[in-house]
C-alpha cells in the first residue's frame, strides 16, 4: 500500500515537474536569443534617462512593447508607471514582477558610446541625468521576461503582473511618487497579487552571481533636512553675528556619535549621513542660514526612532549652544521601510535560483544599508528581492565605481542570467502553487 501511494504521488507530480523542466529549457533558449535585444533596449534607456515622475519617453517605449505582446496594459499609474497583465491559460497564483524606471541627477563620466548627455533642472538646479543605479538594465531585462513569458501563455498556470515603477530614487520637493503611490493606486489588486519578485544589479558583485539575504535585506531610510539660522555679519567681524556654518560643522561631527555611541551595532547596522550642505556666497560674508540634507538608515523600528530622536536632540541643542536656531524635517523627500525578504519564500525559491545560476553562484549575503521602495510591495504580500552581479570578471569590488557614481558601469553579459532568474522564479512558483 505504501509503495502504491508513492507511485500515485509520483504520477501526480510528474506533469508539473516535466512541464517546468521543459519550460526551463525554453527560457534558456529564448533568453540567450534575446540578449542583443536586451542590450539594445538598455543602451537606449541609458542614453535617454529621465528623472522620477518624468519617465514619459521611457514609459511609452515599455507600454508599446507590452501592448505588442498582447498584454493588458495600463499607463499613467502613479504619474508615469506602466502595468502589464499576462493571464495564463490555466488558473494559478498571481505573480508580480517589478522594475524601477527612473534615473538620477548625476552627470555621467563613463567613456561608453551611449553615455548620457542629458541635462535638466532638479530642485531649481541644472543637473546632468544618468542611469547611475542600473534601472535601465532592470527595465530591459523585465521587458525580455515579459516577451518570454508571453510566448508561454498557453502553458502558464497563473497570472503575471509586470510593474514598471517610476520614482524609486525619490522625487523633487513637493511631489509624491514611487512604489508607495503605486500601491495606493491599487497595483497589488485586480487581480490581487499573491507574491512579488524584484531584482537589482550591483557593480561591486561579480557577474554571473546572484546574492540574496533572508529577512531584512535593505535598510529603512529617512531623508532629513536641517536648516540652521544664525545672524549674518561681515566675515571680518564674526563677533557681530551668529555663524551657522561653524554651528553646522559642529552638528555634523556630533551626529556621528549617534551610531558610534548609541546604536548597538552588534545587533543591527545603522547609518547617519549628511550628503549636502549649502550656505553663503562670498568669502567675507557670514550667511544667515545653512541648509543640510542627509539620510538615516536602520533595520528595526526601535533603531529608526532612536536615530530620529538623537538627530533632533543633537541638532537642537548644538544650535542653541551657539545662539542659533534649528528647523528639522524628518522624513524629507523619502521614507521607505525595511525591505523584508519573506524567509519561507526565500527557502522555496532558492532551488530555482541555484538551478538557474549554479549552486556556487547563488550567495547568501549580508543585509545592505542601501534602501529600496520595493519594501512597500513586500509589506503587502510575500516578497523576494535578489541582487544580480554586474562587475566584470577579474574586477575588484573595493575599487569599482559603485551605484550612484558618475563612473557607474555594469557588464552587459550579466543580463541573460537576470532574465532567466526572473522567468524561472515565476514559472517554478506557479508550478508549486497552482491549484
Amino acid at each position: 500500500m505504501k509503495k502504491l501511494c508513492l507511485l500515485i504521488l509520483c504520477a501526480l507530480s510528474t506533469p508539473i515537474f516535466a512541464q517546468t523542466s521543459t519550460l526551463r529549457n525554453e527560457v534558456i533558449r529564448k533568453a540567450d536569443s534575446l540578449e542583443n535585444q536586451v542590450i539594445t533596449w538598455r543602451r537606449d534607456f541609458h542614453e535617454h534617462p529621465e528623472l522620477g515622475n518624468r519617465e514619459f519617453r521611457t514609459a511609452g517605449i515599455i507600454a508599446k512593447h507590452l501592448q505588442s505582446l498582447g498584454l493588458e496594459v495600463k499607463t499613467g499609474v502613479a504619474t508615469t508607471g506602466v502595468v502589464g497583465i499576462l493571464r495564463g491559460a490555466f488558473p494559478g497564483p498571481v505573480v508580480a514582477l517589478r522594475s524601477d524606471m527612473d534615473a538620477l541627477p548625476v552627470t555621467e563620466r563613463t567613456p561608453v558610446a551611449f553615455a548620457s548627455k542629458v541635462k535638466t533642472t532638479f530642485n531649481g538646479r541644472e543637473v546632468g541625468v544618468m542611469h547611475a543605479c542600473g534601472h535601465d538594465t532592470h527595465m530591459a531585462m523585465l521587458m525580455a521576461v515579459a516577451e518570454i513569458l508571453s510566448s508561454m501563455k498557453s502553458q502558464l498556470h497563473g497570472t503575471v503582473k509586470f510593474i514598471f515603477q517610476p520614482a524609486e530614487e525619490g522625487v523633487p520637493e513637493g511631489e509624491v511618487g514611487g512604489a508607495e503611490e503605486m500601491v495606493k493606486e491599487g497595483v497589488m489588486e485586480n487581480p490581487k497579487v499573491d507574491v512579488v519578485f524584484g531584482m537589482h544589479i550591483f557593480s561591486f558583485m561579480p557577474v554571473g552571481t546572484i546574492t540574496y539575504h533572508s529577512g531584512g535585506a535593505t535598510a529603512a531610510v529617512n531623508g532629513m533636512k536641517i536648516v540652521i539660522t544664525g545672524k549674518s555679519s561681515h566675515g571680518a567681524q564674526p563677533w557681530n553675528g551668529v555663524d551657522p556654518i561653524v554651528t553646522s560643522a559642529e552638528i555634523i561631527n556630533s551626529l556621528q556619535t549617534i551610531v558610534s555611541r548609541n546604536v548597538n551595532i552588534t545587533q543591527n547596522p545603522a547609518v547617519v549621513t549628511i550628503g549636502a550642505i549649502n550656505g553663503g556666497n562670498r568669502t567675507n560674508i557670514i550667511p544667515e542660514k545653512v541648509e543640510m540634507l542627509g539620510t538615516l538608515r536602520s533595520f528595526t523600528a526601535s533603531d529608526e526612532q532612536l536615530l530620529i530622536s538623537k538627530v533632533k536632540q543633537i541638532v537642537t541643542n548644538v544650535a542653541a549652544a551657539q545662539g542659533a536656531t534649528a528647523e528639522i524635517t524628518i522624513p524629507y523627500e523619502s521614507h521607505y521601510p525595511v525591505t523584508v525578504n519573506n524567509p519561507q519564500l526565500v527557502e522555496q525559491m532558492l532551488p530555482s535560483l541555484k538551478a538557474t545560476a549554479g549552486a556556487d553562484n547563488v550567495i547568501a549575503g549580508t543585509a545592505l544599508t542601501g534602501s529600496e521602495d520595493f519594501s512597500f510591495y513586500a509589506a503587502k504580500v510575500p516578497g523576494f528581492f535578489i541582487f544580480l552581479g554586474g562587475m566584470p570578471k577579474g574586477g575588484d569590488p573595493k575599487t569599482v565605481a559603485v551605484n550612484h557614481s558618475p563612473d557607474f558601469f555594469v557588464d552587459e553579459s550579466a543580463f541573460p542570467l537576470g532574465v532567466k532568474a526572473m522567468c524561472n522564479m515565476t514559472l517554478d512558483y506557479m508550478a508549486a502553487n497552482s491549484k
Side-chain angles (χ1 to χ4, degrees):
M1 183 65 180
K2 185 176 181 180
K3 183 181 290 186
L4 178 60
C5 289
L6 288 172
L7 289 172
I8 292 172
L9 181 60
C10 289
L12 290 173
S13 301
T14 298
I16 288 181
F17 286 114
Q19 180 190 59
T20 304
S21 176
T22 300
L23 293 182
R24 189 182 300 278
N25 291 333
E26 190 70 0
V27 165
I28 293 172
R29 185 183 69 80
K30 291 185 175 181
D32 289 341
S33 70
L34 283 171
E35 181 176 3
N36 289 336
Q37 179 61 68
V38 173
I39 291 173
T40 298
W41 283 327
R42 181 268 171 142
R43 292 185 178 184
D44 180 66
F45 289 139
H46 192 91
E47 193 170 0
H48 303 93
E50 296 170 301
L51 295 179
N53 283 356
R54 287 147 182 79
E55 307 94 337
F56 298 108
R57 177 185 183 274
T58 302
I61 292 171
I62 292 169
K64 184 178 180 180
H65 177 65
L66 298 183
Q67 288 162 351
S68 74
L69 300 175
L71 274 62
E72 303 169 29
V73 179
K74 184 176 181 180
T75 59
V77 185
T79 307
T80 56
V82 180
V83 179
I85 298 175
L86 170 62
R87 300 183 189 272
F90 303 98
V94 179
V95 179
L97 306 177
R98 176 271 205 166
S99 168
D100 32 22
M101 303 194 302
D102 55 324
L104 284 158
V106 172
T107 301
E108 183 159 7
R109 287 198 306 233
T110 66
V112 297
F114 51 93
S116 168
K117 297 178 176 61
V118 175
K119 293 187 181 300
T120 191
T121 300
F122 180 76
N123 283 342
R125 298 182 182 183
E126 184 177 278
V127 295
V129 185
M130 177 189 176
H131 271 296
C133 201
H135 297 187
D136 50 342
T137 75
H138 303 164
M139 290 183 286
M141 287 186 281
L142 191 57
M143 288 169 70
V145 172
E147 185 163 331
I148 293 170
L149 295 181
S150 295
S151 71
M152 300 174 174
K153 180 178 180 178
S154 63
Q155 303 170 76
L156 290 185
H157 290 255
T159 297
V160 187
K161 184 176 284 189
F162 298 94
I163 300 173
F164 289 86
Q165 174 212 307
E168 189 276 331
E169 300 287 0
V171 294
E173 190 172 359
E175 296 185 23
V176 295
E180 186 174 18
E181 287 301 306
M182 297 284 280
V183 171
K184 287 180 180 177
E185 294 189 17
V187 74
M188 304 298 280
E189 307 295 332
N190 301 318
K192 184 174 176 58
V193 173
D194 294 301
V195 68
V196 60
F197 297 123
M199 176 174 62
H200 202 301
I201 198 166
F202 282 104
S203 62
F204 59 88
M205 296 179 179
V207 71
T209 64
I210 293 173
T211 302
Y212 71 95
H213 183 78
S214 186
T218 68
V221 59
N222 275 282
M224 63 179 172
K225 179 179 179 180
I226 301 169
V227 179
I228 303 301
T229 302
K231 180 183 176 183
S232 182
S233 68
H234 196 292
Q237 299 173 328
W239 52 84
N240 288 327
V242 175
D243 193 337
I245 293 179
V246 170
T247 303
S248 296
E250 289 195 25
I251 287 171
I252 291 170
N253 285 332
S254 296
L255 289 178
Q256 303 314 304
T257 64
I258 296 175
V259 174
S260 66
R261 292 297 180 269
N262 293 273
V263 176
N264 185 346
I265 58 173
T266 66
Q267 295 178 350
N268 288 300
V271 174
V272 177
T273 292
I274 296 295
I277 177 168
N278 297 287
N281 56 20
R282 280 186 61 94
T283 60
N284 61 348
I285 299 175
I286 292 175
E288 182 180 37
K289 291 185 178 181
V290 168
E291 177 185 285
M292 292 179 278
L293 302 178
T295 185
L296 307 176
R297 308 296 171 111
S298 54
F299 283 89
T300 68
S302 60
D303 280 349
E304 181 177 22
Q305 291 309 309
L306 172 66
L307 297 186
I308 294 171
S309 174
K310 284 294 183 180
V311 165
K312 291 180 177 179
Q313 182 183 35
I314 288 171
V315 171
T316 301
N317 290 334
V318 171
Q322 293 294 333
T325 59
E327 179 184 348
I328 308 158
T329 305
I330 303 174
Y332 174 74
E333 286 189 349
S334 60
H335 175 215
Y336 302 164
V338 176
T339 296
V340 178
N341 280 335
N342 181 276
Q344 291 74 33
L345 181 62
V346 172
E347 192 67 24
Q348 183 181 6
M349 301 317 301
L350 279 180
S352 181
L353 292 179
K354 291 178 179 179
T356 302
D360 291 342
N361 295 317
V362 179
I363 303 163
T366 58
L368 299 181
T369 50
S371 64
E372 247 294 339
D373 69 355
F374 181 87
S375 53
F376 288 102
Y377 307 116
K380 294 293 183 181
V381 299
F384 189 15
F385 194 68
I386 62 174
F387 307 130
L388 180 68
M391 182 178 68
K393 292 182 178 179
D396 183 351
K398 296 180 180 178
T399 60
V400 298
V402 297
N403 298 53
H404 289 215
S405 161
D407 303 305
F408 173 73
F409 175 84
V410 293
D411 188 334
E412 293 175 330
S413 69
F415 301 164
L417 176 58
V419 173
K420 293 169 188 175
M422 293 295 274
C423 284
N424 287 334
M425 282 199 297
T426 302
L427 294 170
D428 290 339
Y429 184 85
M430 286 181 168
N433 295 278
S434 59
K435 298 176 183 178

